[in-house]
Amino acid sequence: MIELEQAGVTAYAPAQPEERGSGGHEQVVTLLHPTTCTLAERRIAVIGANGSGKSTLARLINGLALPSSGRVLVDGADTATDGAAVRRRVGFVFTDPDAQLVMPTPVEDVALSLRRLGLDRAARTARARQVLARFGLAERAELPVSALSGGQKQLLALAGVLATEPAVLVCDEPTTLLDLRWRRVVDDLLDGLPQQVLLVTHDLEAAARADRVLVVDQAQVVHDGDPEQAVALYRDLMASGATTG
Ligand SMILES: Nc1ncnc2c1ncn2[C@@H]1O[C@H](COP(=O)(O)OP(=O)(O)O)[C@@H](O)[C@H]1O
Ligand SMILES: [Mg+2]
């Protein structure tokens, strides 16, 4: 279970160019206003305009971002004081798999994420091959990662994260860079996972399939609940042009 208790995020932004010459100061900007919610549903989607604060919200959940006020708990573990426990429970998938894939080949990349399970090298490699087979990447285990397509790379990034069997998966626009065919592959995979999934997405069909949808606008959760209403509100916000970013 994910709990946000008045969790807010602020950051320091440089002074505006016109202020610099006149001794302008850094400004505190609000990336997410204090937010309280308990997320227990299996499928949760987060939608909102570019720059509205979706990634900030997603990153709070695995401790990639820490709250400036309030707190965030995952199964009771506080992201600020028990980050290691939180990261064991929460896997995070980025939009761009290149941000996630660090090893030269798929088998090495998945084996790397298995390191914290305490297996020896041979066991890690064997397990990595099993994981790759599960994701349809067995034949590409030894290829250079750079030779994979964008869709295959995203599948590999997902395989690496899921290899350690996190209880929760947070995906920050995992299909935004993919063509329609790969989007479907990744959507189907996410739909079929036993894990709790929090999906940040611009794909309103995917959002509509969720159990619960949060709409973020101007650093605030402005809707939390029914998917259909959420999508309708988001469309209204986009049509009115009253957005950030
Ligand atoms: N470290 C930071 N300092 C200042 N502003 C930031 C920082 N990180 C993000 N922002 C700004 O905060 C807003 C929300 O960012 P983000 O959560 O990434 O939005 P989204 O994922 O919805 O596009 C954006 O306007 C972004 O430029
Ligand atoms: Mg984002």
Side-chain angles (χ1 to χ4, degrees):
M1 184 160 69
I2 300 162
E3 293 168 277
L4 274 69
E5 296 175 354
Q6 290 290 319
V9 181
T10 54
Y12 289 102
Q16 296 300 308
E18 64 269 22
E19 292 174 4
R20 277 195 198 124
S22 56
H25 296 291
E26 283 186 330
Q27 293 184 332
V28 176
V29 291
T30 300
L31 309 194
L32 188 70
H33 287 285
T35 300
T36 298
C37 57
T38 299
L39 305 172
E41 292 77 3
R42 264 189 73 222
R43 296 289 178 259
I44 296 158
V46 178
I47 58 179
N50 290 331
S52 57
K54 303 180 299 298
S55 294
T56 303
L57 176 61
R59 291 157 65 93
L60 275 178
I61 293 167
N62 79 331
L64 267 174
L66 293 176
S68 319
S69 60
R71 51 181 203 155
V72 178
L73 307 174
V74 180
D75 294 335
D78 188 319
T79 59
T81 56
D82 209 354
V86 169
R87 282 186 292 278
R88 274 197 299 278
R89 300 200 66 73
V90 185
F92 196 99
V93 177
F94 295 89
T95 309
D96 183 356
D98 286 332
Q100 200 144 348
L101 302 172
V102 292
M103 297 299 282
T105 64
V107 68
E108 289 169 287
D109 207 89
V110 176
L112 179 69
S113 34
L114 292 168
R115 272 175 68 158
R116 68 161 183 253
L117 298 191
L119 306 166
D120 67 28
R121 181 187 254 271
R124 281 203 303 271
T125 302
R127 178 91 162 257
R129 283 186 200 289
Q130 286 171 4
V131 171
L132 289 170
R134 208 180 113 207
F135 289 86
L137 292 169
E139 283 158 26
R140 297 185 170 76
E142 317 283 353
L143 285 180
V145 167
S146 57
L148 302 183
S149 74
Q152 289 165 343
K153 281 189 196 174
Q154 191 56 293
L155 217 51
L156 174 60
L158 265 161
V161 172
L162 290 170
T164 58
E165 300 183 351
V168 181
L169 190 68
V170 177
C171 302
D172 190 357
E173 298 191 37
T175 60
T176 295
L177 302 178
L178 304 183
D179 67 27
L180 208 50
R181 189 173 49 98
W182 277 104
R183 189 181 293 182
R184 181 152 303 151
V185 171
V186 170
D187 275 347
D188 287 350
L189 198 154
L190 295 177
D191 284 348
L193 289 177
Q195 274 93 350
Q196 183 181 25
V197 177
L198 183 137
L199 174 70
V200 178
T201 187
H202 289 297
D203 178 347
L204 300 182
E205 285 174 32
R209 290 197 298 274
D211 302 315
R212 174 173 176 181
V213 179
L214 309 184
V215 182
V216 186
D217 188 56
Q218 302 191 40
Q220 204 142 16
V221 175
V222 294
H223 171 92
D224 175 3
D226 178 70
E228 251 179 64
Q229 286 174 9
V231 170
L233 172 65
Y234 175 64
R235 286 189 197 282
D236 285 349
L237 286 170
M238 295 301 97
S240 72
T243 56
T244 46

